[in-house]
Amino acid sequence: MRDERLFSLFEPIDSLTGIGPKLKPVFERLVDGEHVWDLLLHLPDRWLDRRVKASFEELVPGEVATVQGEVHAYKAPYTDRAPHRIQLFDGTGFLTLTFFRADPRWLQGQFPIGKERIVSGLITDYQGERQMSHPDYVLDPVKSERPPAVEPIYRLTAGLTNKRVHNAALAALEHVPDDLPEWLGNDLLTDRKWPAFKAALQGLHAPQSFDEDAFALCKERLAYDEALARETVFAFARLARAQKDAPALVSSIEALNRVATSLPYKMTSAQIRAVKDVSGDLAEAHPMRRMLQGDVGSGKTLVATLAAVKAVSAGYQAAFMAPTEVLARQQYENIAALLGPLGYEVAALTGRDRGTAREGTLMGLADGSIQIVAGTQALFQEGVRFNKLGLIVVDEQHRFGVMDRMRLASKAAAPHMLVMSATPIPRTLAQAVHGDLDISILDEKPPGRQPIETRVIADTRLDEVVDAVGRAMARDERVFWVCPRVDADDDDASAVQRAAMLQDWLKAPVGLVHGRLRGEEKDEALEAFRSGKTRILVATTVIEVGVDVPDATIMVIERAEGFGLAQLHQLRGRVGRGTRKSYCLLLYRPPIGDLARERLETLRRTEDGFEIAEADFRLRGPGDLLGVRQSGAVDYRVLDLAEHADLIPVARTDARYAIERDPGLTGERGQALSLLRELLSPLVREGK
Ligand code: ADP
Ligand code: MG
């Protein structure tokens, strides 16, 4: 049941004066919602300063400005298509107002020679002369007429003018109750100099004066409200989890040590830290929800495998879930290689296992003789039963959104969950993107990796690239060749066309894999490439995650300028996994702009995924970051990740603290928070 105090905000948009049945759908489209409240969340993009300037000398072409001057002359058009002109004079110079197709009598009535007028509009430059064409306002200062000091400017949609949207927003402001309790703490309000909730909305939709700092503070306050609403939901989920029982997976240190000492290498200190985090969580009697984030090759599998060992030695089973068949198989092989020799029972289960092999695996899972299983989503469908599932590990989590993951967690019946992602996310965004998860980061690569040499090359030099590729293939190395599209007759850089062309040039079999192939066809192509039957694989970005081919030494990416940096970085991570020197060739089609060049240059300069993600974020904003869009982290309505990401951790602490103190939300602040949650949590949008 919705709180009565919010009823007026959740009235339909057409309850506002001026919005009838015809405008209703137009407004709904614009604000992406059907309530008065949705309209209020459609904040202005910017504000126009309509204060009257001191003199014409201050006018800058390209700006909207307001000035006062005396009407000096009316000039009729030279030709039919030329404008009527009114000249204003203010003692410092002239301003020419132009009017196309105007009635001269009406115009002269508006601008009587010798009278003062205030005009407001866009200033242009015409052959060195300051002009204003069709002013937005023409006012008489003698009658004390003034334009509004400031005017909010909204993003619009066809069929709506700024004035209409502004008037609707003003009407909507009347629906905001005056008696809403404050849900933010006093200290925060004072420290940050934030206005109250209603005042913040008024300060944006109906500001009294032009003050950029004030606008920013109002927006910040509402962004914080939104972050707090969302974090309140997460804090509840966390609390519910903390109250849920889970087996405390306590094991002797020996089981872990036995695996650790069997490794042919030393663990990195980042891996050791992550194992400690995970072990700590598993030993608690409530469910773990932890994200393990680390660049490709940072060694996440080992950390997860040790978690599985801990589960097994405490008497439970562990399941690994990967987004694709190939990745599931690969994971199975990695885990089996580590743990098989030590006597662990490891199995694979994917949708493709059939017949007696499948029956055997199902039985082993049900009776507990299989301790660790790696598979696809199939693991949690089709009546697969576990004897005692204690841990689930989800690989490449960015393929699944926050909501998917929550759904999975409810279905999986495994109390503890570790999710892994190879998508580096700027630290400032990590919490926003990973929602309710605790985070461990592998920010250190295992030692001894060969750096990958990255080159940025114009595709006019394609023949040189093909030569180099041919030489590598002659040395029995493998080459990935990535194209941005599957198939297009008019584009030779699409996968199907490029594969045919390369086959012709190289006189060698060329593998081809793209999203339109069936799963089995994809696997076959990848397998042929892995085994060396084909030495070059033309692909779209389906190979982006996970695929491990140690002999691959060259990664060619065509039209690299069109990809996100994180994506290019992940593609690059497909090479440089063996002992041989590897290259990444980023082909672009000239000409490209400075920004595109700077982005590719970043990639050439560094292999540090976090640094690359930061650069991508800085250059293109959060929406383009790999994994951010899917995560749902960009669906904030007010909060702008590029501006307000730092508010999220503050809101998280705030929400957790508030809910620990008052889990029933019955206290004064609790009740206020509960109102806020109704107003701004994403679940309200989903209708839950
Ligand atoms: P990712 O984080 O991309 O999943 P993997 O877990 O597949 O990385 O590890 C990549 C490779 O690095 C594997 O071959 C693994 O055996 C190896 N590896 C993992 N940890 C270390 C380490 N500490 N030292 C050396 N090699 C390691
Ligand atoms: Mg991996």
Side-chain angles (χ1 to χ4, degrees), residues 649-672:
V650 182
R652 176 158 305 183
T653 313
D654 194 354
R656 283 186 183 177
Y657 187 61
I659 281 170
E660 271 159 31
R661 278 181 27 153
D662 179 12
L665 296 187
T666 50
E668 198 178 324
R669 168 132 206 248
Q671 287 183 26

Side-chain angles (χ1 to χ4, degrees), residues 171-182:
L173 278 176
E174 303 292 317
H175 285 238
V176 185
D178 288 315
D179 57 352
L180 289 179
E182 179 56 78

Side-chain angles (χ1 to χ4, degrees), residues 203-226:
L204 297 173
H205 290 295
Q208 294 304 304
S209 60
F210 186 90
D211 180 349
E212 299 272 14
D213 293 338
F215 302 145
L217 287 173
C218 291
K219 229 168 129 180
E220 222 175 75
R221 143 100 217 203
L222 297 174
Y224 188 82
D225 285 342
E226 186 171 31

Side-chain angles (χ1 to χ4, degrees), residues 300-301 395-396:
K300 295 185 290 297
T301 313
D395 201 4
E396 304 302 349

Side-chain angles (χ1 to χ4, degrees), residues 249-263 265 267 271-283 301-314 318 320 338-339 342 344 372 391:
L249 302 182
V250 190
S251 67
S252 66
I253 192 79
E254 276 143 46
L256 292 186
N257 277 345
R258 212 155 67 87
V259 180
T261 50
S262 78
L263 296 172
Y265 46 73
M267 288 171 68
Q271 282 172 319
I272 292 172
R273 265 198 313 274
V275 169
K276 274 199 186 130
D277 289 346
V278 172
S279 295
D281 291 352
L282 291 177
T301 313
L302 176 65
V303 176
T305 304
L306 289 174
V309 164
K310 196 166 162 101
V312 170
S313 73
F320 283 68
L338 271 174
L339 298 185
L342 299 177
Y344 288 83
I372 299 172
L391 167 70

Side-chain angles (χ1 to χ4, degrees), residues 383-436:
V384 181
R385 279 196 305 115
F386 289 86
N387 180 41
K388 227 174 149 188
L389 183 59
L391 167 70
I392 164 169
V393 178
V394 183
D395 201 4
E396 304 302 349
Q397 109 92 20
H398 76 274
R399 293 278 191 98
F400 314 93
V402 173
M403 291 301 160
D404 282 340
R405 194 188 60 241
M406 286 188 157
R407 239 166 264 137
L408 176 74
S410 65
K411 223 198 274 178
H416 297 289
M417 187 157 172
L418 178 65
V419 299
M420 307 199 284
S421 169
T423 307
I425 297 225
R427 280 164 210 281
T428 42
L429 294 187
Q431 291 206 327
V433 170
H434 299 316
D436 60 325

Side-chain angles (χ1 to χ4, degrees), residues 616-631:
D616 213 6
F617 181 41
R618 195 163 35 74
L619 295 172
R620 295 215 305 186
D624 283 319
L625 287 180
L626 198 60
V628 171
R629 198 169 285 287
Q630 295 95 313
S631 73

